[in-house]
Amino acid sequence: MIQIYLLLALVIVVFFVLRGFFQRTSSASTKNLRLLGLSAITVAVLLLIATGRLNWLLGAIGLGLAYLLRLIPVLLGYAPQLHKIWEDYKAARGGSAKPQDYAGGGHGKMSVEEAYQVLGLKSGASEQEVIAAHRKLIQKIHPDRGGSDYLAMKINLAKKTLINK
């Protein structure tokens, strides 16, 4: 008997949501579509609770979480590629995400003090110390080893700034 009432309530809610959805402008339709999806999920969960069939959904959520926890190390192995995809996506949306757009990036504009800080050297270090510090850092940060393009560019720019000063 309660199932009939829940089904009737579902039909009424869907009717009013759809009526409001089609009466709105297109700018509000995205918001209404989200509301419709959230309402449908809420009603479905309430229906599962009322009928006592929620156990399979909770089991599926637990299984999904366990699978996700085991998948995290694999996903982290692809982090550099995922980061590049994210940067490309941000750049395509109009938000600049290229390393050249950051202060001092790609334009050869780095102060000598900043170059020493990037390489972790004290002011007045010799050319050999600069080369050694650059080599040590670039081996750790190089994009081919999963490092950041931006950091590698900064390290290279710091070496160039200090050697050509």
Side-chain angles (χ1 to χ4, degrees), residues 10-90:
L10 174 67
V11 170
I12 291 170
V13 167
V14 169
F15 172 76
F16 283 112
V17 169
L18 287 176
R19 188 178 83 178
F21 179 73
F22 289 117
Q23 290 177 350
R24 305 264 172 155
T25 62
S26 63
S27 64
S29 63
T30 304
K31 183 178 177 183
N32 290 336
L33 191 59
R34 288 181 184 159
L35 180 64
L36 178 66
L38 185 60
S39 299
I41 291 171
T42 303
V43 169
V45 168
L46 288 174
L47 186 62
L48 289 172
I49 290 172
T51 59
R53 295 189 178 133
L54 189 63
N55 56 352
W56 70 268
L57 181 62
L58 295 177
I61 290 172
L63 183 65
L65 287 175
Y67 182 73
L68 182 63
L69 289 176
R70 291 194 181 250
L71 190 62
I72 285 175
V74 175
L75 290 177
L76 289 177
Y78 292 105
Q81 291 87 357
L82 294 175
H83 180 70
K84 182 176 181 345
I85 291 169
W86 175 251
E87 296 296 327
D88 291 343
Y89 169 74
K90 284 181 10 182

Side-chain angles (χ1 to χ4, degrees), residues 144-159:
D144 291 344
R145 295 187 177 198
S148 165
D149 289 330
Y150 174 71
L151 292 176
M153 182 206 55
K154 285 295 236 184
I155 292 168
N156 289 331
L157 185 58
K159 176 187 173 193

Side-chain angles (χ1 to χ4, degrees), residues 3 34 38 60 65 73 86 107 114 117 119 121 129-130 140 142 153 158 160:
Q3 295 166 348
R34 288 181 184 159
L38 185 60
L65 287 175
W86 175 251
H107 304 293
E114 183 182 3
Q117 286 179 350
L119 293 176
L121 297 172
E129 290 174 326
V130 170
K140 293 179 183 177
H142 198 277
M153 182 206 55
K160 181 181 172 186

